[in-house]
Amino acid sequence: EVYTFSLRLCDNEVDRDWERFDTAALNTLGDLFVGKSGIFDHQWSARGQAARIYRTELVRDEGVLTEAGEPLCYLKGYAYMLRTEGNRDLIAEIEGGIKKEVSVGCAVKRAECSICGSDMGRCAHEKGKRYDGRLCCARLLEATDAFEFSFVAVPAQPRAGVMKRAGGSPSL
């Protein structure tokens, strides 16, 4: 038997690290995340592989604006895991909302200053500070790779996490 669930992997809102993905990077990440593993705390070990993403979609919420004034969009992932005795407790923790928060491991080609457009770190602007009322953050552009998603205690993106069960039998 297979257990499936959906995740909010990442979005275009400013995160705790004062970074945000642009929509094009999220769209590219959608293709790159298909087939990638779900692990724990970004510990890259085959032993920790718990789930795998089988599909993604870019979801747009035109009614909500980000800190940058853009319509909110996020990358939704659909993951599965085999129902085994070994992961029975993990499935119960997902269903019970205990294992909920996630974070993504990925690579981008550029991080651009939201104030001046220069490569972040090559200008005088500091992430998290406001300049003439505008919040400075790093715009993450041109996604090049997706490594994994991880169950974590505190994700960089506060809204990233398990959304709901996507299907499968309700029995453990």
Side-chain angles (χ1 to χ4, degrees):
E1 288 186 53
V2 174
Y3 174 78
T4 61
F5 56 99
S6 59
L7 307 138
R8 183 177 178 143
L9 293 167
C10 48
D11 59 36
N12 66 336
E13 185 59 271
V14 178
D15 66 20
R16 288 183 174 107
D17 297 325
W18 308 109
E19 297 175 341
R20 71 179 195 87
F21 291 100
D22 78 338
T23 304
L26 289 172
N27 197 45
T28 300
L29 285 171
D31 293 333
L32 295 171
F33 267 110
V34 173
K36 299 303 191 259
S37 294
I39 60 176
F40 300 92
D41 298 317
H42 298 292
Q43 298 297 311
W44 293 2
S45 167
R47 269 189 255 282
Q49 290 178 316
R52 191 161 302 275
I53 295 173
Y54 64 90
R55 180 168 72 98
T56 63
E57 67 177 301
L58 190 64
V59 177
R60 297 175 192 273
D61 190 345
E62 301 292 332
V64 177
L65 295 181
T66 65
E67 170 82 23
E70 297 176 357
L72 178 71
C73 64
Y74 64 90
L75 184 59
K76 183 175 183 179
Y78 297 86
Y80 73 93
M81 64 177 66
L82 297 178
R83 288 182 179 271
T84 65
E85 188 60 34
N87 68 12
R88 181 177 56 103
D89 291 343
L90 174 58
I91 292 171
E93 289 174 337
I94 291 170
E95 288 186 332
I98 303 301
K99 290 284 191 283
K100 180 178 180 0
E101 294 79 9
V102 300
S103 177
V104 296
C106 65
V108 296
K109 192 179 230 179
R110 289 183 353 130
E112 176 185 275
C113 174
S114 63
I115 302 299
C116 69
S118 298
D119 286 343
M120 201 74 227
R122 294 191 179 261
C123 63
H125 300 114
E126 293 181 45
K127 293 193 299 184
K129 292 197 174 182
R130 291 195 178 270
Y131 298 87
D132 295 323
R134 292 177 46 211
L135 178 66
C136 180
C137 67
R139 289 184 53 224
L140 304 176
L141 309 170
E142 302 175 51
T144 58
D145 205 352
F147 309 124
E148 42 79 17
F149 78 89
S150 286
F151 287 101
V152 296
V154 181
Q157 294 200 337
R159 293 186 195 109
V162 174
M163 296 178 72
K164 64 179 182 174
R165 224 165 133 262
S169 170
S171 65
L172 291 176

